[in-house]
Amino acid sequence: MRPLITLLLLTFLCTSGRAQLSPAITSWLQNNSETGTYYVEGNPTLIENDILVNCQKVEYSDDFVYVSATGVPAYPTGPFPDGNPSQATNQDGIYKIPLNPVQNTGTPDATVGGNIGIFINGVALFDYRDGVAWNPNTNTICGGPGNPPCPGGPVAQQDWNRDAIPAEREGFDCSKGHPAMGNYHHHQNPSAFKLDLEVTSTICNLYDAEGLYAIDSTRHSPLIGFAYDGYPIYGAYGYKNSDGTGGIVRIKSSYTLRDITERTEHADGTDVSDGPPVSDTYFLGYFREDYAYNAPAAADQDYLDEHNGRFCVTPEYPDGTYAYFATVDENWVSAYPYAVGPTFAGEYENRSVNSVNETTTVYNGTTSVSGFADDANITVFPNPAADLIAVQLPGLVDHDFTVQLINADGKLVREKFIRSGQTIAYFDTQTFYRGVYFVRISSADSEVTRKVIVE
């Protein structure tokens, strides 16, 4: 009997190992069939881009997970009304994320321009900056498209560096993203402008999209990405206390705007070259250095550290992990430092690689079982409807759903799909007869139906 016992034990150990794969392996949205869409300014009709969306391959070794992705999301991209001529293009990227990230106990690494992380749909995360700064020698803006170069070149840190979020708001699409030479990315929480409690951009009115996930103040936010130091990134809400207790609250940035009218020194008192005085053009918050870090009290566990993270329990890490949060204010408007930064908590490396040079195992599993985590939060609006019906799924959608519109006679009228990495489906009802209709939302083994009136 001993060989049988040994075999059963080995089977149990192997099965347990698979069941305990790191969320850094299992959380990516994989796709090898669906392609993306985009808008161009002046045309509110979506255009197919024929580029696969989300991530195409996930493989892992003992120390790393390798994610192959186009960098193009499932939700529509564009337009970019600030004159950006670019569109989201295939980045054909491979990203090597450490499975066992290490906190940096020395001088922290500053975040850099360009990619500093990757969302679970393969889209790039940038930090606050947009490459524009203040040149004290000329007393003008420097860097970025259309401006003279900054002293020291494009990678040199200046004393006053522009914050892309307020400065480039007009150039973000509905999903709060834009491309840099085709590299579509988010600097901030990737949830659509129209879903914020205070809407700060009207671009969704003409060029509708939804972003990676919908903020839900009643549930711990989904895991939405990984920074280049290997630590996970969550959305805006989490457990109040780091041990997983205290209920669900908005997790808050510990950075606040300084009370200044002149820009002559940094928040730590360092004397620097003068920036422009605070004005309507160069408003408070225009530059990253307009913010100061205020270390939270020990009791304020829902406030983050100087890297915009904390060590805490999350649904994916019940034993705890260091994690970043995509911070927003009480109106769900993006709040500095937005996701990661201005320094990394862990040891930073550029995680974009050209190839996989070690033996790996390919991960083909789904990120969750089919079904509805909370069907009470599925929203069908407006109701009654006149011109359109929108179906909004809560949180992050990590597998495909079929959405059917059925009339009172039980006849299928229209069918749409919500793919992983999307959250909304729309039905144009302008030509429909008045009456009662039913919206049926289904996945592989779950189904929910909502009644809606068309007037």
Side-chain angles (χ1 to χ4, degrees):
M1 294 297 291
R2 185 175 299 274
L4 178 59
I5 294 173
T6 302
L7 178 60
L8 290 173
L9 178 59
L10 288 173
T11 302
F12 170 78
L13 291 173
C14 292
T15 304
S16 299
R18 287 196 298 270
Q20 296 175 7
L21 286 177
S22 167
I25 298 170
T26 62
S27 297
W28 306 96
L29 302 181
Q30 294 194 54
N31 163 67
N32 279 288
S33 59
E34 301 298 325
T35 55
T37 56
Y38 67 100
Y39 294 105
V40 295
E41 193 160 10
N43 181 7
T45 302
L46 284 171
I47 302 169
E48 299 285 338
N49 63 17
D50 298 323
I51 302 172
L52 290 172
V53 300
N54 297 340
C55 306
Q56 284 64 61
K57 187 177 183 181
V58 177
E59 52 192 309
Y60 63 95
S61 64
D62 290 340
D63 299 314
F64 297 98
V65 58
Y66 297 85
V67 181
S68 299
T70 61
V72 175
Y75 41 88
T77 60
F80 313 106
D82 62 350
N84 187 339
S86 216
Q87 291 291 344
T89 59
N90 185 356
Q91 299 302 295
D92 195 22
I94 303 174
Y95 305 94
K96 179 182 179 182
I97 306 298
L99 294 176
N100 303 292
V102 177
Q103 283 200 274
N104 188 344
T105 58
T107 302
D109 296 314
T111 55
V112 298
N115 294 32
I116 64 166
I118 180 173
F119 291 102
I120 62 169
N121 60 351
V123 170
L125 167 68
F126 280 26
D127 72 357
Y128 69 88
R129 84 192 72 201
D130 62 358
V132 177
W134 185 256
N135 186 342
N137 301 322
T138 59
N139 287 325
T140 58
I141 287 293
C142 62
N147 299 317
C150 289
V155 299
Q157 186 80 351
Q158 307 299 319
D159 288 330
W160 302 95
N161 299 275
R162 193 168 78 170
D163 186 332
I165 308 309
E168 296 193 333
R169 183 171 290 133
E170 292 184 0
F172 295 129
D173 62 16
C174 181
S175 302
K176 300 179 185 171
H178 64 176
M181 304 294 291
N183 183 14
Y184 184 82
H185 59 274
H186 297 283
H187 295 265
Q188 58 190 311
N189 188 62
S191 180
F193 279 114
K194 65 180 180 181
L195 299 179
D196 293 345
L197 301 181
E198 177 186 327
V199 179
T200 58
S201 171
T202 59
I203 191 169
C204 301
N205 295 351
L206 290 176
Y207 309 102
D208 204 4
E210 66 264 40
L212 178 58
Y213 81 111
I215 295 176
D216 185 343
S217 63
T218 67
R219 299 162 59 187
H220 194 292
S221 81
L223 192 163
I224 60 174
F226 288 86
Y228 270 10
D229 61 5
Y231 288 117
I233 305 168
Y234 284 85
Y237 281 78
Y239 302 126
K240 177 177 175 58
N241 299 321
S242 59
D243 63 359
T245 64
I248 301 298
V249 299
R250 179 172 58 88
I251 305 300
K252 294 168 276 291
S253 167
S254 292
Y255 286 84
T256 57
L257 284 171
R258 301 164 61 193
D259 184 14
I260 57 173
T261 57
E262 301 291 330
R263 295 181 170 102
T264 60
E265 62 181 22
H266 286 171
D268 63 1
T270 302
D271 184 41
V272 295
S273 60
D274 291 355
V278 176
S279 65
D280 289 343
T281 301
Y282 302 110
F283 50 85
L284 200 60
Y286 189 87
F287 296 101
R288 196 278 291 181
E289 291 77 15
D290 290 347
Y291 288 91
Y293 173 67
N294 304 286
D300 295 330
Q301 297 182 41
D302 50 334
Y303 281 82
L304 300 173
D305 65 16
E306 65 271 30
H307 316 291
N308 217 40
R310 65 175 185 172
F311 189 91
C312 60
V313 167
T314 72
E316 290 78 13
Y317 294 91
D319 294 328
T321 181
Y322 185 89
Y324 300 101
F325 286 79
T327 40
V328 299
D329 67 14
E330 63 274 12
N331 295 311
W332 296 0
V333 177
S334 300
Y336 178 85
Y338 310 115
V340 177
T343 53
F344 290 98
E347 297 180 352
Y348 162 77
E349 286 185 21
N350 179 2
R351 299 297 176 180
S352 179
V353 298
N354 295 322
S355 60
V356 178
N357 297 316
E358 62 175 321
T359 301
T360 60
T361 300
V362 174
Y363 177 73
N364 289 318
T366 58
T367 56
S368 75
V369 297
S370 297
F372 298 97
D374 186 358
D375 62 29
N377 285 335
I378 294 174
T379 306
V380 178
F381 63 95
N383 192 7
D387 297 330
L388 64 83
I389 296 171
V391 181
Q392 172 85 58
L393 300 188
L396 186 146
V397 177
D398 54 13
H399 52 279
D400 295 348
F401 289 86
T402 300
V403 185
Q404 297 175 319
L405 188 63
I406 299 166
N407 66 18
D409 297 327
K411 180 181 177 181
L412 176 64
V413 179
R414 293 282 190 278
E415 183 174 79
K416 297 290 184 72
F417 300 94
I418 298 178
R419 307 296 186 188
S420 63
Q422 295 181 296
T423 66
I424 298 179
Y426 294 97
F427 294 100
D428 184 344
T429 58
Q430 295 181 79
T431 61
F432 287 12
Y433 292 111
R434 295 181 181 179
V436 175
Y437 290 78
F438 298 91
V439 176
R440 178 186 296 156
I441 308 113
S442 60
S443 62
D445 57 7
S446 298
E447 183 178 299
V448 169
T449 301
R450 294 281 189 268
K451 183 171 75 173
V452 63
I453 307 297
V454 173
E455 293 184 338

